[in-house]
Amino acid sequence: MAQGKYINIYTLSSVDNPNEIKYVGVTKYKVSYRLSSHIYEAKKKPDMTPKTKWINEIGFKLVHNVIDVVEECDAGFWEKYWIGQMEAWGFNLVNSNKGGGGLSKRDEKFSMWLSKRNMGNKYNLGRTHSKE
């Protein structure tokens, strides 16, 4: 397992159907930590994304598999590659985007949800950013 300047590219499947890949992700941490955060996110906001809906539907019973370890600077390229490859092989993925951008390339439905969630949030109102 790589940590630091290397990135793990992993897949998620249900325990009941481990050969049916549903998600491709990247992490620089242990994949088991990332798996826990996927489950936590799905429990807190079950309708947030197709991924969280799917995790709820399968009762949070996930299995992960590291499919590649790449240098951090190339992670976006390889995440896109593996998402495309899995789709080409016929897997019906629940990724919110085609990879390489995290939530910066989110879909319209998620953008609306995020907008509604943040409406009226004044936490950072009037605060200035540091010069770093």
Side-chain angles (χ1 to χ4, degrees):
M1 178 121 2
Q3 288 185 329
K5 68 176 187 170
Y6 291 95
I7 301 294
N8 296 299
I9 300 178
Y10 64 94
T11 60
L12 294 180
S13 304
S14 74
V15 169
D16 296 331
N17 197 359
N19 294 324
E20 182 62 31
I21 295 167
K22 294 297 284 182
Y23 181 81
V24 176
V26 297
T27 185
K28 62 182 173 181
Y29 303 109
K30 290 182 179 179
V31 178
S32 58
Y33 294 156
R34 188 65 183 111
L35 181 65
S36 294
S37 67
H38 285 304
I39 292 170
Y40 176 81
E41 179 184 62
K43 286 180 178 180
K44 287 292 186 184
K45 301 198 171 44
D47 293 326
M48 186 170 77
T49 65
K51 179 189 67 183
T52 59
K53 288 178 187 176
W54 168 69
I55 292 171
N56 273 274
E57 288 169 6
I58 62 168
F60 311 103
K61 297 176 184 174
L62 295 173
V63 62
H64 67 273
N65 183 36
V66 175
I67 57 172
D68 207 348
V69 179
V70 300
E71 290 191 39
E72 188 171 14
C73 61
D74 298 328
F77 170 82
W78 287 110
E79 183 185 18
K80 288 177 190 175
Y81 167 82
W82 281 111
I83 289 172
Q85 188 63 60
M86 295 298 170
E87 289 175 337
W89 286 338
F91 291 106
N92 184 22
L93 301 179
V94 293
N95 288 68
S96 293
N97 60 59
K98 298 295 181 187
L103 292 177
S104 65
K105 298 178 184 174
R106 57 187 165 248
D107 66 14
E108 179 88 17
K109 187 174 181 180
F110 181 77
S111 294
M112 292 300 294
W113 172 85
L114 188 62
S115 176
K116 287 178 185 177
R117 186 198 75 177
N118 289 332
M119 197 164 293
N121 182 351
K122 296 185 179 13
Y123 177 74
N124 284 318
L125 188 64
R127 292 186 182 192
T128 57
H129 295 282
S130 67
K131 293 183 180 183
E132 293 180 32

